[in-house]
Amino acid sequence: MNVLELYIWIGMTIIVLIMILLGYLGGRGTKNIDDFAIGGGQLGPVLLGLGFAATYLSAAVFLGYPGWSYEWGYANLWLMLAIFGGGPIGALLVAKRVRKINTKQKSLSLPDWLGDYYNSDILRVGTALLLLFNIFYIAAQFVAGARVFEFTMGLSYNAGLILIAAIVIIYVYVGGTLADIYTDAVQIIIMTVAGLLIFVSGIVHFWEGSITNTFASITDNLAAQNPNLVTVFNPESPYFDSISAVIGAIIIQAAFAATAPQLFNKILGLKNEKDIGKMLLVYVVIMFCCVVTLFGGIYSRAAFGENIAVSDMALIEYIIQFFPAIIAAFMLIVILAAALSTTDGLFVSMSTVFANDIFLKVFVRRNIIKVNDKKAQKIALRISRLAVLAIGIVSYLIVLNPPKYMGDLLWISVSGIAAGTVGPVLYAIFGKKKPSPRAAELSMIIGLASYFILYFGKIEKSTMAAGAWATLIGIAVMFILAKIMKQPQSEISSQKDAI
């Protein structure tokens, strides 16, 4: 075992012990499905702002996205604009109104919220099934954790995969959202420090007397390798080869912030809707400090040329080569924390789908299963925890053979969910009158179908752009049908009774 491996094992042991402790503390406060899903709706803006940023900024920010920068150069920096611009826009569009509506609905998740608002079990179950695509998102985070263990700690890929899955499953199983939020706060703080260190390190390493000269030297280096690496739009990139692709990336990032279930749960967990501004301010500041890691991929390309076989590992190679062992170990632990911070939120939101959205709100509410409220809550909590185990196993099996780019897995799941849900969410916020539930159901179906046709039909090669255009189609369908399909009076009365 070399010095770097020793430091990583020590650091991981400390982090895991802290997470287990926080999971235990979260578990003590988890008495029912409300606590498990949204922390009882009693969480403060700073803690939730940290959690929102940690969940938004997955391991892709430290592995996948720098890998894209390594592969395609400066054009990938458009992703910074998409994340920094689109994310806050999406959150601002929905957060306050969603939280206000939920003071009456008391919903616990995105499917629950939509199903309650439109009084539609079809929409509730349909959205819940859409969220199963997030298994691919979880699987991508498992890949990131396994790669770090494999590349730096001498474990096999499969052993690393088992270890990262076990860590997340255990503490989410025990503590639910309370464990998720507490650990996210710890993880995002160290992610922020690491992001700033990576950005500054390249300037120090390539220093040419001034920041301007330094980046000019890096640019000359990249241009000598491939002129497309320094163009505004890279024709070799499937994501940022045109202005339309950039617009698409901004739209889908906004849609992600607005409707991603693991982020949506954070909004529902806020104690006071007046604190949404504070929550988003914390989120934006932290996010900016983290997304500068995209420069790490550019630094790696300038330092190593085309000699890195797996682009997702470009930042890890850069960290190992240019940081002292103890700092490199810290950075690599941060990458693991980034994977964990997103994965735990996804586990909670997806397990809530089975326990609350399907079991409580469909089977129990419709008297398909007849149990009293106290017993129903106990069963729901048990289902949510068993779902954590099932989701973890399926996610593990998906990536026994890892994909070339982990970022592709992320955005396939995000795009499908956004295409099917953004239309109904936005109409609930901005529409003047509630339409027939059939309008929202058709928006979900047509939006999702549009994404499959655009992306898997190879009409649009960028999954982010395909997701953006499909989302716009879903929105248009929702607002058009809302004008045509009015809500019957009988449905309005039943909806009032449900709320």
Side-chain angles (χ1 to χ4, degrees):
M1 179 181 293
N2 60 36
V3 175
L4 177 61
E5 289 178 1
L6 177 62
Y7 284 143
I8 293 174
W9 278 114
I10 292 172
M12 271 304 299
T13 301
I14 294 171
I15 289 293
V16 169
L17 289 174
I18 291 173
M19 289 166 58
I20 291 173
L21 174 61
L22 293 175
Y24 169 74
L25 294 174
R28 291 179 62 186
T30 302
K31 306 302 182 184
N32 53 43
I33 188 61
D34 290 54
D35 295 332
F36 188 93
I38 60 173
Q42 298 295 311
L43 300 172
V46 174
L47 192 61
L48 274 175
L50 293 172
F52 198 95
T55 304
Y56 190 103
L57 301 172
S58 71
V61 175
F62 287 87
L63 288 183
Y65 298 161
W68 289 355
S69 293
Y70 172 84
E71 194 92 9
W72 300 304
Y74 283 146
N76 194 56
L77 296 182
W78 283 111
L79 185 58
M80 288 183 64
L81 175 64
I83 292 173
F84 193 65
I89 289 172
L92 284 169
L93 276 175
V94 307
K96 188 172 184 179
R97 179 63 177 159
V98 162
R99 183 65 184 79
K100 185 174 182 179
I101 291 173
N102 207 52
T103 57
K104 294 182 179 180
Q105 290 188 177
K106 306 297 183 184
S107 306
L108 301 183
S109 66
L110 176 61
D112 194 18
W113 192 89
L114 285 172
D116 286 346
Y117 185 84
Y118 289 100
N119 194 30
S120 167
D121 282 341
I122 294 175
L123 192 63
R124 187 192 314 278
V125 175
T127 305
L129 293 176
L130 271 180
L131 299 193
L132 294 180
F133 281 107
N134 268 332
I135 287 177
F136 292 96
Y137 204 117
I138 292 173
Q141 307 307 310
F142 282 1
V143 170
R147 288 292 198 192
V148 172
F149 286 130
E150 176 191 26
F151 201 74
T152 65
M153 299 172 70
L155 298 178
S156 67
Y157 172 79
N158 283 339
L161 198 59
I162 292 170
L163 182 57
I164 193 73
I167 291 170
V168 180
I169 290 170
I170 289 170
Y171 81 84
V172 176
Y173 180 92
V174 172
T177 282
L178 293 173
D180 170 27
I181 290 293
Y182 294 152
T183 54
D184 278 357
V186 174
Q187 290 156 1
I188 194 61
I189 290 171
I190 61 175
M191 286 163 64
T192 301
V193 173
L196 294 174
L197 281 175
I198 288 168
F199 177 70
V200 173
S201 71
I203 298 173
V204 173
H205 178 73
F206 295 102
W207 185 251
E208 291 288 347
S210 69
I211 292 179
T212 302
N213 289 341
T214 299
F215 279 101
S217 176
I218 293 172
T219 301
D220 291 341
N221 181 317
L222 297 177
Q225 295 183 45
N226 183 343
N228 286 331
L229 293 174
V230 297
T231 55
V232 175
F233 304 110
N234 188 337
E236 299 174 4
S237 169
Y239 298 107
F240 301 107
D241 59 348
S242 65
I243 187 63
S244 63
V246 172
I247 294 171
I250 294 172
I251 292 172
I252 198 63
Q253 289 284 350
F256 176 48
T259 61
Q262 67 273 28
L263 300 177
F264 204 87
N265 281 29
K266 300 292 190 296
I267 295 172
L268 299 183
L270 189 62
K271 181 177 182 180
N272 191 334
E273 67 183 75
K274 294 180 180 179
D275 288 333
I276 284 176
K278 294 178 183 178
M279 184 192 83
L280 292 180
L281 178 61
V282 172
Y283 153 65
V284 168
V285 172
I286 293 294
M287 182 175 61
F288 177 78
C289 294
C290 290
V291 296
V292 292
T293 53
L294 271 66
F295 281 92
I298 291 172
Y299 299 155
S300 185
R301 185 59 181 257
F304 306 118
E306 297 181 355
N307 295 320
I308 297 177
V310 180
S311 60
D312 283 348
M313 296 296 100
L315 185 59
I316 289 182
E317 187 65 50
Y318 173 80
I319 288 170
I320 291 173
Q321 292 296 325
F322 295 111
F323 283 91
I326 190 167
I327 298 178
F330 167 76
M331 295 287 195
L332 295 170
I333 291 168
V334 168
I335 294 173
L336 290 171
L340 295 172
S341 67
T342 295
T343 308
D344 52 18
L346 284 166
F347 267 107
V348 171
S349 63
M350 291 182 67
S351 60
T352 301
V353 163
F354 295 100
N356 180 73
D357 307 342
I358 295 177
F359 174 71
L360 287 178
K361 293 300 179 71
V362 177
F363 286 100
V364 174
R365 177 187 281 182
R366 304 298 181 188
N367 287 319
I368 298 171
I369 295 177
K370 297 182 180 180
V371 292
N372 60 47
D373 184 64
K374 185 177 181 179
K375 187 174 181 180
Q377 286 292 326
K378 288 183 178 180
I379 295 173
L381 184 57
R382 191 177 304 123
I383 290 172
S384 67
R385 285 174 166 159
L386 291 175
V388 167
L389 297 176
I391 292 164
I393 292 169
V394 173
S395 301
Y396 164 79
L397 293 173
I398 286 173
V399 289
L400 282 173
N401 293 312
K404 183 178 181 181
Y405 301 117
M406 63 171 290
D408 289 344
L409 281 177
L410 302 180
W411 289 103
I412 287 172
S413 64
V414 168
S415 296
I417 292 170
T421 60
V422 172
V425 169
L426 288 186
Y427 188 86
I429 293 169
F430 297 109
K432 295 181 179 179
K433 294 183 178 179
K434 289 187 180 181
S436 166
R438 308 293 87 79
E441 294 159 6
L442 286 170
S443 171
M444 175 185 67
I445 294 168
I446 293 172
L448 179 63
S450 299
Y451 171 66
F452 275 95
I453 292 169
L454 287 169
Y455 185 64
F456 295 104
K458 300 187 183 303
I459 296 172
E460 172 58 71
K461 63 182 179 179
S462 166
T463 182
M464 284 191 285
W469 311 139
T471 297
L472 292 177
I473 290 171
I475 294 170
V477 168
M478 180 69 229
F479 278 80
I480 291 171
L481 292 182
K483 294 286 187 181
I484 300 171
M485 305 171 73
K486 303 297 183 181
Q487 187 179 33
Q489 186 62 42
S490 60
E491 292 184 355
I492 295 175
S493 298
S494 64
Q495 186 172 36
K496 287 180 179 178
D497 293 338
I499 295 175

